């Protein structure tokens, strides 16, 4: 404005110089303080020594003693760490013929490799903490047959003091235990595949698991190697599993040939409040083979694809990982980019499309698919789950019976004790778990509706969108979860979810797609219609 220009004209050259210097100095001081803060760390475990760098007088101190200790809780849930006692018949003639697995898990990619989710109502009925043997599993190949006694983790790269350690030494270090949700980025992908086939397989709404994890903070391993703050040459932490584990790799890739690897930024790795750990126990017992035995990385609030299982290498680098799977997995590309375009135009290597933090998402568990609500029912309690990424708290779970014209607020009935809450403002408290919600309604509200719609909001007002947006990997799919309502011959109503996980047919989206000439809905690709349920036929 003119008044701003006039006031600026009255400022002397000396004063302008001071302003410019202040603009330069303030961010520099803030950056230096942030870097030095990484050196001033207090370990959380009872009886563990504080680890501080005496060269700095920075007053920032992330005091983990304010966190609730979940060690005893995890021990009380050891019954949920039980492995299934038998080898499944589908695994007998595969490389995984030594790994016991729950027979109720839904196999999404045939007998091998093992990629599974539980039936959502079955998992949901266990409550807030999931059984390890019903926890989501994403395996790219055979499970490595590793031994606690011989497994080694190498910490190296651009570090002053590279070292290796075994599992007994790792387990003797200070540890933390807390509950955390693990979610595959492909959760609810089958809905995307009904729109247009992605390059991923058909996850339903249960690619999740919420369990207790115990492990050593990754920052302690980095500190021991001489890394206390990000800086030139030390901006990323590359993480990798065993060499030769998988068939695809790039020459000279981080982690070595045939490894599954990725990376996270150094700030996340060193920040105590991000709770990144090298985990070796789940629900109070050592990890199952499918969940990364003997150790894996846990990065709360992130997609599961960053949480490297069978961890063997921690490599400090100046740039993000050059591993094949870091580039060719776990990305959300724009809607118009299909697989051929992504490869031809190099979309896999555009860093802005990488995904780390989860988005807000959720689903309805009850009424379950093809459940019948009898005509005599007076009330019904709708139940489901919701979660968000980055530690953000889910604050609203809502259902609509008029396709989003109005909404009813549900009750969040199961929620965690947040991490870092005692000494933090609201936005700094970390919520790493799912929550369970429910709402009791008149059964007539369901019986008279075309569909039940569900959406959730988090503390940053992120919400689930009304319509899906297709992407070539089918990842982070989070539109309103819609359960359609149909008349039943008994006089009641029968409920229909959008899809059924895996190759099994079923669900209203699959029926709609089957009616199209190419078997795809093509919403966003020239297809007609949308997800909203049509009016129910009248008698």
């Amino acid at each position: 404005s003119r008044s701003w220009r006039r006031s600026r004209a009255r400022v002397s050259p000396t004063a302008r110089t001071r302003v410019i210097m202040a603009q330069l100095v303030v961010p520099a001081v803030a950056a230096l303080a942030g870097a030095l803060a990484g050196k001033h760390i207090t370990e959380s475990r009872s009886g563990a020594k504080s680890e501080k760098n005496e060269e700095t007088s920075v007053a920032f101190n992330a005091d983990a003693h304010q966190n609730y200790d979940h060690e005893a809780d995890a021990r009380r849930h050891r019954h949920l760490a039980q492995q299934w006692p038998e080898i499944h018949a589908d695994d007998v003639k595969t490389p995984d013929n030594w790994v016991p697995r729950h027979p109720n898990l839904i196999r999404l990619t045939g007998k091998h490799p093992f990629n599974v989710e539980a039936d959502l109502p079955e998992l949901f009925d266990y409550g807030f903490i999931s059984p390890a043997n019903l926890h989501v599993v994403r395996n790219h190949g055979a499970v490595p047959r590793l031994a606690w006694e011989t497994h080694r983790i190498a910490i190296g790269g651009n570090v002053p003091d590279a070292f290796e350690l075994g599992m007994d030494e790792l387990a003797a270090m200070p540890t933390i235990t807390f509950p955390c949700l693990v979610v595959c980025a492909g959760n609810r992908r089958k809905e995307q595949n009904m729109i247009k086939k992605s390059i991923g397989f058909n996850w339903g709404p249960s690619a999740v698991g919420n369990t207790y994890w115990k492990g050593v903070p990754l920052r302690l391993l980095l500190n021991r190697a001489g890394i206390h703050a990000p800086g030139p040459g030390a901006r990323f932490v590359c993480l990798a599993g065993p060499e030769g584990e998988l068939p695809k790799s790039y020459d000279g890739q981080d982690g070595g040939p045939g490894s599954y690897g990725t990376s996270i930024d150094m700030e996340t790795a060193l920040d105590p409040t991000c709770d990144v750990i090298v985990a070796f126990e789940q629900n109070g017992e050592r990890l199952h083979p499918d969940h990364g035995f003997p150790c894996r990385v846990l990065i709360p609030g992130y997609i599961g694809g960053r949480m490297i299982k069978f961890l063997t290498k921690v490599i400090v680098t100046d740039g993000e990982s050059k591993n094949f799977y870091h580039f060719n997995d776990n990305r959300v590309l724009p809607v118009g980019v299909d697989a051929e375009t992504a490869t031809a135009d190099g979309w896999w290597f555009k860093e802005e499309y990488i995904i780390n933090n989860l988005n807000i998402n959720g689903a309805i568990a009850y009424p379950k698919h093809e459940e019948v609500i009898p005509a005599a029912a007076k009330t019904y309690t709708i139940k489901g789950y919701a979660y968000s990424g980055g530690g953000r708290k889910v604050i609203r779970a809502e259902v609509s019976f008029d396709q989003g014209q109005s909404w009813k607020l549900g009750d969040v009935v199961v929620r965690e004790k947040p991490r870092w809450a005692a000494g933090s403002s609201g936005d700094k408290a970390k919520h790493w778990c799912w929550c369970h919600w429910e709402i009791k309604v008149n059964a007539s509200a369901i019986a008279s509706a075309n569909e039940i719609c569900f959406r959730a909001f988090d503390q940053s007002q992120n919400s689930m969108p009304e319509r899906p947006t297709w992407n070539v990997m089918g990842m982070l799919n989070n539109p309103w979860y819609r359960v359609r309502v149909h008349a039943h011959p008994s006089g009641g109503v029968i409920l229909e979810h959008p899809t059924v996980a895996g190759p099994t047919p079923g669900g209203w989206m699959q029926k709609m797609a089957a009616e199209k000439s190419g078997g795809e809905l093509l919403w966003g690709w020239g297809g007609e219609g949308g997800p909203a349920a049509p009016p129910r036929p009248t008698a």
Side-chain angles (χ1 to χ4, degrees), residues 104-124:
N104 290 0
L105 289 166
I106 302 167
R107 297 188 179 226
L108 309 177
T109 51
K111 295 181 179 181
H112 187 77
F114 191 64
N115 294 289
V116 297
E117 63 182 284
D119 177 62
L120 180 56
E122 182 177 9
L123 183 70
F124 186 86

Side-chain angles (χ1 to χ4, degrees), residues 141-142 144 241-249 253 255-260 312-313:
E243 293 186 11
E245 177 189 2
L246 300 171
K248 297 180 180 180
S249 62
Q253 70 174 16
S259 65
Y260 185 92
T312 60
K313 294 180 182 178

Side-chain angles (χ1 to χ4, degrees), residues 270-349:
L270 289 177
D271 185 346
T273 67
C274 287
D275 283 328
V276 182
I277 63 172
V278 178
F280 55 86
E281 284 189 9
Q282 184 181 22
N283 285 347
E285 297 285 358
R286 289 184 180 176
L287 304 181
H288 291 194
D290 279 322
H291 300 314
F293 178 86
C295 64
R296 71 175 298 166
V297 177
L298 187 78
I299 312 172
Y302 269 40
I303 62 168
R306 305 280 168 239
M307 304 185 196
I308 299 298
K309 298 192 290 190
F310 325 115
L311 181 69
T312 60
K313 294 180 182 178
V314 177
I315 309 164
V316 174
T317 61
D318 194 54
E320 63 180 295
S321 173
K322 305 303 180 187
N323 191 279
F324 175 89
Y325 294 93
H326 182 74
F327 287 114
N328 293 279
D329 205 352
N330 299 310
R331 292 174 185 261
V332 172
L333 303 182
V335 65
V337 180
D338 58 17
E340 293 75 19
T341 303
T343 300
D345 296 344
W347 284 91
W348 303 119
F349 302 97

Side-chain angles (χ1 to χ4, degrees), residues 443-467:
S444 59
I446 299 175
S448 61
N450 295 330
E451 61 184 349
I452 307 168
C453 299
F454 163 73
R455 70 179 183 183
F457 286 77
D458 70 21
Q459 67 191 61
S460 297
Q461 298 304 313
N462 298 308
S463 66
M464 297 162 63
E466 180 178 358
R467 295 175 63 97

Side-chain angles (χ1 to χ4, degrees), residues 175-470:
T175 61
I176 53 177
T177 304
F178 56 92
C180 181
L181 181 72
V182 173
V183 183
C184 179
N187 194 31
R188 297 181 60 188
R189 181 190 282 141
K190 190 168 183 180
E191 298 164 43
Q192 292 259 312
N193 285 340
M194 297 301 100
I195 299 171
K196 179 179 169 65
K197 186 69 177 76
S198 74
I199 62 174
F201 50 83
N202 288 322
W203 289 108
S206 193
V208 298
N210 195 77
T211 57
Y212 288 107
W213 299 91
K214 177 180 179 178
V216 175
L218 178 61
R219 61 188 169 84
L220 296 187
L221 299 178
L222 294 169
N223 293 163
R224 178 172 165 182
I227 301 297
H228 296 274
R235 301 188 185 279
F236 288 86
V237 182
C238 297
L239 309 160
E243 293 186 11
E245 177 189 2
L246 300 171
K248 297 180 180 180
S249 62
Y250 290 135
D251 291 341
Q253 70 174 16
D254 294 309
S259 65
Y260 185 92
T262 189
S263 60
I264 60 174
D265 61 84
M266 184 63 74
E267 289 84 354
T268 299
L270 289 177
D271 185 346
T273 67
C274 287
D275 283 328
V276 182
I277 63 172
V278 178
F280 55 86
E281 284 189 9
Q282 184 181 22
N283 285 347
E285 297 285 358
R286 289 184 180 176
L287 304 181
H288 291 194
D290 279 322
H291 300 314
F293 178 86
C295 64
R296 71 175 298 166
V297 177
L298 187 78
I299 312 172
Y302 269 40
I303 62 168
R306 305 280 168 239
M307 304 185 196
I308 299 298
K309 298 192 290 190
F310 325 115
L311 181 69
T312 60
K313 294 180 182 178
V314 177
I315 309 164
V316 174
T317 61
D318 194 54
E320 63 180 295
S321 173
K322 305 303 180 187
N323 191 279
F324 175 89
Y325 294 93
H326 182 74
F327 287 114
N328 293 279
D329 205 352
N330 299 310
R331 292 174 185 261
V332 172
L333 303 182
V335 65
V337 180
D338 58 17
E340 293 75 19
T341 303
T343 300
D345 296 344
W347 284 91
W348 303 119
F349 302 97
K350 296 184 179 184
E351 62 182 19
E352 58 267 35
Y353 297 107
I354 193 171
I355 51 176
N356 287 315
N357 281 299
L358 294 163
N359 57 353
I360 185 147
N361 209 344
I364 294 172
Y366 287 99
K368 59 186 177 181
H369 181 60
E370 296 185 339
E371 180 177 343
V372 174
I373 300 177
K378 300 299 183 184
T379 61
Y380 188 92
T381 301
I382 304 170
K383 300 178 182 181
Y385 74 82
Y387 61 80
S388 192
R392 293 181 293 273
K393 181 180 182 179
V394 174
I395 60 169
R396 286 159 57 189
E398 300 175 336
V399 297
S400 174
F401 300 107
D402 55 13
Q403 300 182 314
Q405 297 302 308
S406 63
W407 294 88
K408 295 183 181 297
L409 182 65
D411 296 320
V412 175
V413 293
V414 181
R415 194 191 293 282
E416 74 211 89
K417 293 181 175 69
R419 299 275 296 167
W420 305 97
S424 302
S425 61
D427 280 351
K428 295 302 180 183
K430 302 294 187 179
H431 295 78
W432 301 136
C433 299
W434 65 356
C435 67
H436 287 192
W437 58 267
E438 64 181 43
I439 180 171
K440 187 176 183 180
V441 299
N442 290 329
S444 59
I446 299 175
S448 61
N450 295 330
E451 61 184 349
I452 307 168
C453 299
F454 163 73
R455 70 179 183 183
F457 286 77
D458 70 21
Q459 67 191 61
S460 297
Q461 298 304 313
N462 298 308
S463 66
M464 297 162 63
E466 180 178 358
R467 295 175 63 97
T469 299
W470 186 88

